[in-house]
Amino acid sequence: MYQFSYADIQTDSVADAKERERQLLDRSIELLTEAAAAGSQSMQAIEALHFTNRLWTNFVEDLGSGDNALPKELRANLISIGLWLLREAEDIRQGRTESFEGLIEVSQIIRGGIQ
């Protein structure tokens, strides 16, 4: 019979959540990279922007929750970054810019910071 302490289960859960966040960011980066190659008016761009929008909307909502255990200042900084990413994605969608470079670079930085 297996017995786990609450701390062990909680640590595994946090590690699992971080791994899922990394995987989602990897997928977003992959889609954005494909979209950059295909062009801002391509189906790849539509898919990438939709995925990235959903991902960061969920991240921002979670970061704004009182249940989020990250330090308040870090949460506020990540919310600001998330809102910038959402605005940048909307600018591409609206044709105000065609560059995916900022979205990709910032997403890579955030992904690299998940420990």
Side-chain angles (χ1 to χ4, degrees), residues 5-114:
S5 73
Y6 178 75
D8 290 339
I9 293 169
Q10 186 175 17
T11 300
D12 287 345
S13 179
V14 169
D16 290 344
K18 288 181 179 184
E19 181 58 28
R20 279 190 304 276
E21 289 170 354
R22 276 190 292 273
Q23 289 173 356
L24 289 167
L25 285 165
D26 281 341
R27 180 66 178 146
S28 178
I29 292 164
E30 177 184 335
L31 290 170
L32 290 167
T33 302
E34 291 171 5
S40 64
Q41 300 302 312
S42 67
M43 285 302 295
Q44 291 89 340
I46 293 168
E47 181 182 2
L49 295 172
H50 180 69
F51 185 89
T52 301
N53 190 311
R54 285 190 348 219
L55 176 64
W56 279 98
T57 297
N58 285 322
F59 280 170
V60 168
E61 287 176 5
D62 180 62
L63 290 163
S65 167
D67 294 335
N68 190 298
L70 291 174
K72 188 175 182 176
E73 184 176 345
L74 176 59
R75 288 176 27 212
N77 289 336
L78 289 169
I79 287 170
S80 293
I81 292 167
L83 294 175
W84 178 85
L85 284 160
L86 291 170
R87 282 191 305 272
E88 191 71 13
E90 182 63 14
D91 284 348
I92 295 170
R93 193 181 75 74
Q94 293 290 329
R96 291 187 286 264
T97 185
E98 295 182 1
S99 177
F100 289 84
E101 187 175 319
L103 288 172
I104 294 167
E105 288 179 11
V106 170
S107 295
Q108 289 171 331
I109 291 167
I110 298 298
R111 181 197 57 203
I114 298 174

